Amino acid sequence: MRIPLPGMALPAFFTSPMDYRTLFISDLTSHVIYMIALCALAVGNRRVRGLRWFAACLLVDVLKVVMQSLRGFHPLPLTTFLAVFVGNELNDFSFIAMYLGYRWFLLRQPLGHQPLGQPALPRQPQRSRLGLGLLLGSMALYGVVLLLHTPWIFFFAILPVFVACVLSVVLLLRTPRGPFFVVSRVTAAIFGLQILVMAYRTVLITLDFSGPNIHAPMTDPRWLVSMMLLTMLDSCFVATFLWFYVVELQATLRHQARTDNLTGALNRRALDEEAEREISRCRRQGLPLSLIVLDIDHFKILNDARGHDAGDIALRSFVSLLSTKLRSQDWIGRSGGEEFMVLLPETPMSEALEVAERMRAATASHAVLYEGQPICITASLGVAVLKASQDSSDSWESLRRRGDLAMYTAKRHGRNCVVEQIEEAPVLLREPASVITFFQPEGLSSAAHCWSAGAALQPHGLPPASASQSRS
């Protein structure tokens, strides 16, 4: 006996003339169009791997619709069984591909650099493997239940989709504030509607269409309306696919506009913006802020002697090395040529000097291989601190000038040293190492001499840099 569900008095618009064949044709046509569009985007943007998962989701979904349509055209028992089983399994795979697509956008670091304006979510591979294992196990369980013709077949058929939806909602709701925050919340809401509609269909098939009424859903308008809602939600999911892709493009463009293409550090304009923002924040909160200005010693000699490719490799290695000495809230930018600036929010002068010395020592002991020969560089560093009082007229320009002056002083004192800039005069914190030498970084054998710009001066009889020499 059918148990009527309350509140389901449907207007005539929903009871005719729509039928399942019309719905399947409409659904199939829209999915083919979506699939072609997503596949074209995925082929043209191979770097964005999440698009591949979304295209695979739509491709599998098209196959699912085709398999489900076979039930009406080929009423043979075996064909019907295969259509039902394969169609449901393809539906499960489409939701798995959808989950993996969202996961790629949210859990990886865009462009292989720092996250674009948002922190990456903590990776939890064990939990992900557990979720995917639960999905595959529920799919296998459905096949066993279908073969045994046990009750609750529909529940076991829809269970993997429920699991995939819940995993996706958890993933999307864990997204921190950043470029993907809004689209993640909207997508999570769509998944919530998907779960509600699927739950309603599960209740409908369990209470109203069990026993002798097993084939009644095909003639019940409530079943057709719920299927129409699922079709509309499919279109909403496709819209989120495109939304994620647009956000990724915007983040990529923003990243390219803010960073130096060669080194990955912030460019001058982006560093100025972050510095002004950090100065305002530190002034409001009464926090210290320090600046380190770094310049690679004798970089022009390196370019002339080994070529610009060697110089480019040295610059990239230099920035990568410095990044390991910084916190997540620190900023490193390339102000031009071989000169870099490191902004240290909430850092007093004493701590900034320690950071600068670690950078200097790490640079002097580090070697990068180029054409089979290690290259060693040194750097001169100047440190300045912001006058943090709210009534102070100190600005980013004056802070930068003081850091530059300290760095120039380090150059005049023989390079490869750290200088603190104070009101009266720059103070040399460490006697410089001789520039006319072969540096021997840790980990290199005594026979593997490093090429260094300072050592390259010796064969030509050139003296070390003096106070009158221009910076190079």
Side-chain angles (χ1 to χ4, degrees), residues 218-288:
M218 297 303 170
T219 60
D220 191 283
R222 294 173 298 176
W223 192 256
L224 181 60
V225 170
S226 63
M227 188 171 292
M228 292 174 59
L229 291 176
L230 291 178
T231 302
M232 288 188 290
L233 289 174
D234 286 346
S235 299
C236 293
F237 281 124
V238 174
T240 65
F241 297 168
L242 298 176
W243 193 351
F244 267 89
Y245 175 59
V246 169
V247 171
E248 172 74 12
L249 287 183
Q250 291 174 340
T252 302
L253 293 175
R254 182 173 180 270
H255 178 83
Q256 293 174 348
R258 286 172 51 86
T259 57
D260 173 60
N261 291 335
L262 177 63
T263 62
L266 293 179
N267 57 29
R268 181 65 175 267
R269 185 178 68 175
L271 182 63
D272 290 345
E273 293 174 355
E274 296 299 337
E276 295 290 354
R277 186 179 298 110
E278 291 292 347
I279 287 174
S280 299
R281 183 180 67 86
C282 289
R283 278 226 176 93
R284 287 194 308 271
Q285 302 177 7
L287 299 172

Side-chain angles (χ1 to χ4, degrees), residues 260 262-263 294-319 334 336-340 363 368 375-380 411 415 451-454 456-457 465 470-472:
D260 173 60
L262 177 63
T263 62
L294 311 92
D295 189 271
I296 298 178
D297 299 329
H298 300 296
F299 188 73
K300 185 177 184 300
I301 298 176
L302 170 62
N303 274 337
D304 293 342
R306 302 296 305 276
H308 288 280
D309 288 342
D312 292 346
I313 291 176
L315 287 174
R316 286 194 292 267
S317 175
F318 181 62
V319 172
R334 185 183 182 188
E338 66 273 20
E339 183 178 297
F340 297 85
T363 302
V368 57
I375 295 176
C376 293
I377 59 174
T378 60
S380 302
K411 291 284 187 182
R415 298 177 171 84
W451 186 97
S452 66
L457 294 173
S470 61
R471 177 165 59 95
S472 62

Side-chain angles (χ1 to χ4, degrees), residues 34-59 97-98 100-105 108 237-249:
Y34 297 152
M35 180 196 66
I36 294 174
L38 263 296
C39 286
L41 286 176
V43 171
N45 300 270
R46 297 184 180 181
R47 182 190 61 82
V48 186
R49 297 182 182 178
L51 275 180
R52 303 182 193 178
W53 287 114
F54 290 154
C57 168
L58 291 175
L59 177 60
M98 190 189 307
L100 293 175
Y102 292 130
R103 188 176 183 275
W104 183 88
F105 278 101
R108 63 83 177 88
F237 281 124
V238 174
T240 65
F241 297 168
L242 298 176
W243 193 351
F244 267 89
Y245 175 59
V246 169
V247 171
E248 172 74 12
L249 287 183

